[in-house]
Amino acid sequence: MTKKKVCMLGAFGVGKTSLVARFVKSLFSERYHSTIGVKIDKKDLVVNGAEVSLVLWDLPGEGEEDEFQKVRMSYLQGAAGYVLVVDGTRPETLETARNLQKRVEDTVGHLPFTVAVNKADLGNDWQENPSVCGRWQEQDWIFIPTSAKTGAGVEDLFQSLAERLVKG
């Protein structure tokens, strides 16, 4: 079985931990728990007939620039890919994702990634500007609407990234 380290990145409160819990354990909690340190989970998938174990590193949320930034980026060493999580109800989290993507490339080089636009169950409250997402899609950003609450798009998110990691 092939193991692939995948890091979950994004602003505070976008749903990184909730997406992992939904994917790995089929669970969702309305209670918010800030991630301190790193939480590691694992889930085995079959990708194009091959068994792949995704080792998911749930990293603390990003806020303003702080002294822990370098420590967070060091967690990316050995990663095969990553998920950038944005909150569709908070447009500023897309800018945070863009900044994180640049920092990842500066730290470890180009890695496959997928963008989870989370909280699809709150679609009426979504504020993402389609032209902004469209501009980044032209740069090969792959956006997948997800909802950790309902599970919508969660399997697709990780399966899509796993397929790219296996091809890689």
Side-chain angles (χ1 to χ4, degrees), residues 8-12 16 34-39 57-63 72 75 100:
M8 304 293 293
L9 303 170
F12 287 103
K16 297 177 298 296
S34 183
T35 301
I36 298 174
V38 178
K39 186 173 183 305
W57 286 50
D58 180 11
L59 305 182
E62 287 288 315
R72 286 189 195 113
Y75 291 136
L100 280 166

Side-chain angles (χ1 to χ4, degrees), residues 95-114:
E95 186 62 26
T96 300
R98 187 187 68 74
N99 292 334
L100 280 166
Q101 189 271 337
K102 182 175 179 350
R103 289 198 348 241
V104 169
E105 292 221 343
D106 291 347
T107 303
V108 295
H110 179 73
L111 296 176
F113 70 94
T114 303

Side-chain angles (χ1 to χ4, degrees), residues 8 13-30 85-86 116-122 126 144-155 157-158:
M8 304 293 293
V14 292
K16 297 177 298 296
T17 301
S18 294
L19 284 170
V20 171
R22 172 60 75 179
F23 179 60
V24 174
K25 301 172 187 157
S26 298
L27 296 175
F28 176 78
S29 172
E30 292 280 353
V85 183
V86 301
V117 185
N118 200 27
K119 304 186 184 181
D121 54 292
L122 302 175
W126 271 28
I144 298 181
T146 60
S147 170
K149 184 174 186 174
T150 67
V154 176
E155 291 287 331
L157 170 72
F158 290 101

